Amino acid sequence: CIFCQIVAGKTPCFKIHEDEHTLTFLDLFPAAPGHSLIITKPHWDDIFSAEPDYIAAVAKNSVPLAGVLQSYTNADGLGVHQLNKPAAGQTVFHYHMHMIPAFEGRALQLHGRSQGNVEELAAEAEEIAALLAKVI
């Protein structure tokens, strides 16, 4: 599981926040600037197998991140998406939530079509992490 490898430190990510239960980082294939993922540290395939306390931790962290993403990106809205099983569009089978800034006149997407620029993602993650650290 790619997310388990990220949690274990075997695969790098553009980290925004980490606590006892969750890890938050930028999506490598962003659908919009600031597209972030909040994952549980332990592996559960989806909501059907995840422990409720960990789902609650993901939700708790989504609230301050939502405000930071809106102010950082000047978004008109924010898509909060959590997909379960292939029929619902899940492509990584480790419980996670997408936080995707939305903009008027721009089509909504859940998954980006191409990998983001590494230098831009690194700078974006650093800036969002600094803003989030002030409110979390």
Side-chain angles (χ1 to χ4, degrees), residues 32-43:
H35 181 170
S36 303
L37 302 173
I38 306 173
I39 71 169
T40 58
K41 284 187 168 178
H43 180 93

Side-chain angles (χ1 to χ4, degrees), residues 1-16 18 23-29 37 39 92 94 115 118:
C1 169
I2 187 65
F3 289 173
C4 287
Q5 291 176 11
I6 290 170
V7 170
K10 296 177 181 176
T11 298
C13 71
F14 297 102
K15 184 167 62 170
I16 295 171
E18 182 173 11
L23 178 63
T24 303
F25 52 92
L26 291 179
D27 194 305
L28 194 56
F29 288 78
L37 302 173
I39 71 169
V92 176
H94 182 122
Q115 184 172 330
V118 174

Side-chain angles (χ1 to χ4, degrees), residues 64 68-69 71-73 125-136:
V68 167
L69 290 176
S71 64
Y72 176 76
T73 64
E126 186 176 322
E127 292 171 22
I128 293 170
L131 292 170
L132 188 59
K134 293 178 183 179
V135 296
I136 208 165

Side-chain angles (χ1 to χ4, degrees), residues 26-37 73 79 81 98-103 106-116 121 124:
L26 291 179
D27 194 305
L28 194 56
F29 288 78
H35 181 170
S36 303
L37 302 173
T73 64
H81 308 278
H98 291 261
M99 305 281 291
I100 307 172
F103 302 89
R106 185 172 173 183
L108 297 176
Q109 295 181 48
L110 292 181
H111 299 104
R113 305 278 187 252
S114 59
Q115 184 172 330
L121 289 171
E124 190 173 87

Side-chain angles (χ1 to χ4, degrees), residues 18-22 41-42 54:
E18 182 173 11
D19 62 26
E20 178 183 357
H21 299 296
T22 68
K41 284 187 168 178
Y54 283 84

Side-chain angles (χ1 to χ4, degrees), residues 62-94:
S62 72
V63 175
L65 180 59
V68 167
L69 290 176
Q70 184 179 31
S71 64
Y72 176 76
T73 64
N74 200 28
D76 298 309
L78 182 74
V80 179
H81 308 278
Q82 202 283 305
L83 311 170
N84 297 280
K85 301 205 180 280
Q90 185 179 8
T91 58
V92 176
F93 298 93
H94 182 122

